[in-house]
Amino acid sequence: MTTSVVEHLIAMFGKISTAIDDAVDELSELDGAIGDADHGITMVLGFHAVTAALQSARSDLSSASAVMNAAATAFLNAVGASTGPLYATGLRRAAQSLDGVEKLDQSAATAMLTAIPAGIRERGKAQRGDKTMLDAWLPASEAAALALANGADRKTFWKQVVAAAEHGAEATRSMVAAKGRAARVGGRSLGHMDPGAASTVIIIKAMAEALSGDDA
């Protein structure tokens, strides 16, 4: 396993954490309309813990799978609410999907983008259309698979993945929440973007920024 794969993933989580920091107020405002107004803070805590854990264990992380498993543990330890187990499971599935990977090319990215929502769905039992983060993750996963099948270069690949996530998140405005805290407000969730879908777009954009270069 080359050191560069580990370093790129650590850098990726750093970019995710910074992007979530920048959007914390926006995410909490979105959550305030249909939930407890804490989604932004929850995500900040989770990814701060991830970046701190990865920096602390940097010299001991020898593979992509090790990075993702460390990230999963750190996120779960920091976030006890439902988001913690959801992302922890997704990241552990990503760790399995990246076993033996030595380059974060389109194939590896597709595996990761497929595994994360698979883990989230497995843990949370949500489906597309339930107005959750999956409404952004699943379109992104499908766009990745299609771009890979079509032989898209890295920049085109990530551009299509980000666009699909954005479209999916925007579509949650027309959905009534069926899962999570937002389900408690029923029809009042209509017209609002799901905060989990919004944070998913932020995460995927940061992933794209970190992994779309030819050196990843």
Side-chain angles (χ1 to χ4, degrees):
M1 170 62 61
T2 59
T3 303
S4 64
V5 173
V6 170
E7 292 300 323
H8 273 99
L9 286 175
I10 292 175
M12 179 190 80
F13 279 112
K15 288 181 181 296
I16 291 171
S17 183
T18 298
I20 292 291
D21 281 353
D22 291 343
V24 60
D25 291 338
E26 173 194 346
L27 293 173
S28 292
E29 183 177 347
L30 284 172
D31 195 33
I34 61 175
D36 294 343
D38 63 351
H39 184 67
I41 295 298
T42 295
M43 296 300 284
V44 164
L45 290 173
F47 282 108
H48 276 195
V50 168
T51 56
L54 295 181
Q55 290 298 332
S56 177
R58 196 179 200 116
S59 61
D60 297 322
L61 298 172
S62 60
S63 69
S65 293
V67 173
M68 301 307 280
N69 276 321
T73 298
F75 199 100
L76 182 60
N77 288 342
V79 180
S82 59
T83 304
L86 291 173
Y87 266 107
T89 305
L91 292 170
R92 291 201 191 286
R93 295 296 172 272
Q96 294 171 357
S97 76
L98 295 178
D99 185 35
V101 163
E102 296 188 4
K103 190 173 184 181
L104 297 171
D105 56 11
Q106 295 91 313
S107 178
T110 299
M112 180 168 54
L113 289 165
T114 300
I116 291 173
I120 291 170
R121 180 158 55 180
E122 173 191 328
R123 181 75 185 197
K125 311 302 182 187
Q127 301 297 327
R128 178 176 290 185
D130 284 345
K131 197 182 181 91
T132 72
M133 64 181 76
L134 285 176
D135 289 302
W137 274 112
L138 290 174
S141 173
E142 291 166 358
L146 182 60
L148 178 65
N150 289 337
D153 60 37
R154 278 184 200 249
K155 292 191 183 301
T156 301
F157 173 92
W158 281 106
K159 182 178 180 180
Q160 292 175 357
V161 168
V162 168
E166 289 176 328
H167 181 76
E170 188 63 33
T172 63
R173 294 184 188 276
S174 65
M175 300 173 187
V176 174
K179 288 284 185 181
R181 293 171 182 169
R184 298 196 301 245
V185 305
R188 287 192 289 120
S189 65
L190 191 65
H192 298 282
M193 182 183 291
D194 178 71
S199 63
T200 296
V201 172
I202 294 167
I203 290 167
I204 291 175
K205 282 183 174 179
M207 292 172 71
E209 183 181 348
L211 303 180
S212 60
D214 291 335
D215 60 339

